[in-house]
Amino acid sequence: MRVAVLGAGAIGAYVGASLCRAGVDVHLIARGAHLAALRAGGVRVLSPRGDFSAHPHATDDPADIGPVDYVFLGLKAHSYASAGPLLEPLLGPETALVAGQNGIPWWYFHKLAGPYENHRIEAVDPDGRTSEVMAPERAIGCVVYPATVIESPGVIRHLEGTRFSIGEPDGSVSDRCVRFSEAMIAGGLKCPVEPRLRDDIWIKLMGNVSLNPISALTRATMVEICEYSGTRRVVEQMMEETLDIASRVGSTPEISISKRIDGAQRVGHHRTSMLQDLEAGKELELDAIVAAVVEMADITGAPAPTLRTVHAATDLLARTTARQTASPTIRAA
C-alpha cells in the first residue's frame, strides 16, 4: 500500500508516522523548516501512549511520489479548491482521498438518498471547484478525534485520542475502507468503518461550530467558555440548532448536548484551532465549520438564529483581521 499525506502538519505527520510503523509505504508532503526536519530525522511522536519515531519519505514535490493508493488530506478545507497542482501527480485511476477535515465536507450530499442527493454546498464547493479537483467518487470521509500539535519541526506532540472514523458517502463497507482501516489499526490507531459516518460528522461539528467561533470572538479557552454561564448558554443554543439541521438532512447523532459540552469542558484550558489560527494571523476555517452549516439551514428551512448571528460576527472578524494583516500599521511620529 502506498499512501501520500498531503499537508503533513500535526495530524498529517502523526497519521503518516503511525502508518509507516505498520509497514506502509508513506510519503509526506510538507514545506519549510518542518520539511527539512522530516528529511533529516523523520517524524518523532511524543505521546502519553509511548514515544516513537518513523522515517517516511518527505518532499515538497508530489511529482517525486507519483500515483498512490490513498491520499490522506491534512490540509485545511479552505485549501482544497486550490490543491489541484499538488494532487494531480498523486492520482491514479483508483486513488482514494481520505479527507481528514473539520466541519461539513464537500462530498456531504454525494450519494445521500433523499431530497438533497448530490446537492452542492457552495461554502465548501464554490462554483464546483473543489469537486473538480477532488471528485466525490474518490472521497472517503474521515472524522479526526485526536489532538496533536507540532512541538518543533519534525516533532509531533500527541495530546489525546487515537480514533479516526472513516466511511463511504453511500454508507457501504467498501474494500478500500477496510484496507485503510486495517493499516491504521496496525499502526496503533483506532479506525472504525462507520456506515453512518455523517452522524459522527455532526457529533464533532456540534463542538466545532459553537466553541471554535466563540473562542475566536472571546479569546477564551474551552473550559472558560463552558464554565461561564452566558457563553455556555450560547453554546447550548448553537448545538440545539445544529441538531435540528442534522435531523432535517437525515442524521441522528446519538449524544446529548450536556454530554457534548461536558466532554469539551474536560479538555481544559485548550485554545481551539480557530483561536490558534487567529492568533497566528492565518485564515480562519469558517467555511466548512460555520458557513456550510448556515447554508444547510437555508436549504432545509431551519431558523438557526444563534448560528446565523455568530456566523455574521466571526465572518466580520475574519474580514477585518484580513484587512489589518494586509495593511501596514501607520504610527504617529
Side-chain angles (χ1 to χ4, degrees), residues 18 26 43 52 70 75 86 97 106 120 191 214 233 273:
S18 299
V26 175
V43 184
F52 69 95
Y70 300 88
L75 303 171
L86 293 172
L97 303 177
W106 84 100
R120 180 172 58 81
C191 191
I214 295 297
R233 181 54 189 152
S273 60

Side-chain angles (χ1 to χ4, degrees), residues 191-239:
C191 191
V193 180
E194 300 287 358
R196 292 183 58 87
L197 185 72
R198 289 175 180 85
D199 290 351
D200 282 49
I201 289 173
W202 286 104
I203 288 172
K204 184 173 184 186
L205 185 56
M206 287 170 66
N208 287 153
V209 77
S210 54
L211 293 164
N212 281 32
I214 295 297
S215 72
L217 292 168
T218 64
R219 310 303 201 269
T221 64
M222 289 173 66
V223 70
E224 289 168 339
I225 294 168
C226 294
E227 288 183 347
Y228 177 61
S229 61
T231 48
R232 185 183 182 96
R233 181 54 189 152
V234 173
V235 168
E236 289 172 347
Q237 291 170 333
M238 295 178 76
M239 288 187 178

Side-chain angles (χ1 to χ4, degrees), residues 3 10 31 82 95 99 105 111 153 178 185 195 273 279 307 313 317 330:
V3 176
R31 60 186 180 180
S82 59
T95 303
K111 293 189 176 181
V178 170
I185 292 169
S273 60
E279 293 174 339
L307 284 168
L317 172 66
I330 300 176

